[in-house]
Amino acid sequence: MFLTLDIKDIDMARNLDMTALRSFVTVAEVGGVTRAAGHLHLTQSAVSMQLKRLEESLGLQLLDRSARTVSLTPTGEQLLSYARRMLILNDEAVARLTDDIYEGEITLGVPHDILYPAIPPVLAAFAQRYPRLRIQLLSLPTRTLKEMFARGECDAILTTEETMDDGAETLQTLPLIWAGAPNGTAYRERPLRFAFCRNCIFSPIARARLDAAGIDWVSVVDSASDRATEVAVMADLAVYVILDQTLPHGIHPVPSGAGLPALPDQKINLYRSKSLQAEVAATLTTLLRDSYARLNRPAIAAE
């Protein structure tokens, strides 16, 4: 069953006037039109006219004018609850969209390997809540981001580390896994063909585990770019290590019986600058926390 709305229905829709609602609420709270006019910096006749228009638009009597003091009718009492909530939402929206405290730019640093899939929904939700506050996104290695944060060049950064420094919050803990091309065979080669970029924080960990396990390996990529390693892996020229749940399209976990050494867990940590406006910092933290909390299912390796 479908509900259809004719254009005539839209034309006949009644919309409540926010200015009139504000006068109505003020009259109810201060107990009279004269006092309300003083609070609103309007004339008494202007307030009375707004109340009359509000009643006419609804076709309802909202005020009991039979006594010396103005009181609300039962219908008016019911509207008062709605009106207060509508004004709060209206004022919040206006403040959020126009207050210069929510203008400007903040810099968020995120390592390349944890951008996907958590960051896109965070950026979209943040832009919706703070349309006048821009996020400059930096995608750099953890070491570089921590150096920039220490110099005050970033307002917030995410890192991938085995531990965390003072002042950080761990958003998620995920295992490192070996990954390769779908249905690939590179993981069978000996020496193992291993792809990693020069700045990869995970590569020393993986190389140490391979050495301890007595597995010979050879580097097949010499690049500062994460993309170059991904291309080599997608082409089944090599394997590499990556955090579970962050695999790009076209890359899968290697089979569970591949004989490669187990890898440790890594923390995804958040560092925030104290100079970041409190409400903005709280909103950004909540969005990041919720988005990374969804990365909690172990990868299913191909058999």
Side-chain angles (χ1 to χ4, degrees), residues 42-73:
L42 297 172
T43 64
Q44 181 177 344
S45 60
V47 174
S48 297
M49 185 62 68
Q50 289 174 1
L51 297 175
K52 182 179 179 181
R53 284 202 305 266
L54 183 60
E55 289 180 320
E56 290 176 348
S57 69
L58 292 170
L60 299 169
Q61 183 176 347
L62 304 173
L63 302 175
D64 183 357
R65 299 175 176 84
S66 61
R68 295 187 61 182
T69 58
V70 175
S71 61
L72 301 182
T73 64

Side-chain angles (χ1 to χ4, degrees), residues 164-184:
M164 67 175 180
D165 297 339
D166 292 341
E169 174 187 347
T170 297
L171 302 180
Q172 183 61 273
T173 301
L174 296 172
L176 277 175
I177 61 171
W178 296 96
N183 303 314

Side-chain angles (χ1 to χ4, degrees), residues 159-209:
T159 64
T160 49
E161 308 171 88
E162 289 192 75
T163 59
M164 67 175 180
D165 297 339
D166 292 341
E169 174 187 347
T170 297
L171 302 180
Q172 183 61 273
T173 301
L174 296 172
L176 277 175
I177 61 171
W178 296 96
N183 303 314
T185 60
Y187 67 89
R188 298 175 182 168
E189 300 292 329
R190 295 295 183 273
L192 181 70
R193 294 181 299 184
F194 187 25
F196 56 88
C197 72
R198 299 167 195 162
N199 297 315
C200 178
I201 198 170
F202 304 142
S203 298
I205 299 171
R207 294 197 300 267
R209 293 295 174 103

Side-chain angles (χ1 to χ4, degrees), residues 201-222:
I201 198 170
F202 304 142
S203 298
I205 299 171
R207 294 197 300 267
R209 293 295 174 103
L210 289 171
D211 292 341
I215 297 176
D216 292 333
W217 57 271
V218 59
S219 173
V220 299
V221 174
D222 182 15

Side-chain angles (χ1 to χ4, degrees), residues 146 149 157-159 161 163-171 267-274 285 289:
K146 292 187 74 172
F149 185 78
I157 61 169
L158 296 179
T159 64
E161 308 171 88
T163 59
M164 67 175 180
D165 297 339
D166 292 341
E169 174 187 347
T170 297
L171 302 180
K267 298 179 184 297
I268 298 177
N269 296 328
L270 169 65
Y271 294 80
R272 302 183 319 183
S273 171
K274 294 180 179 179
T285 299
R289 188 185 293 136

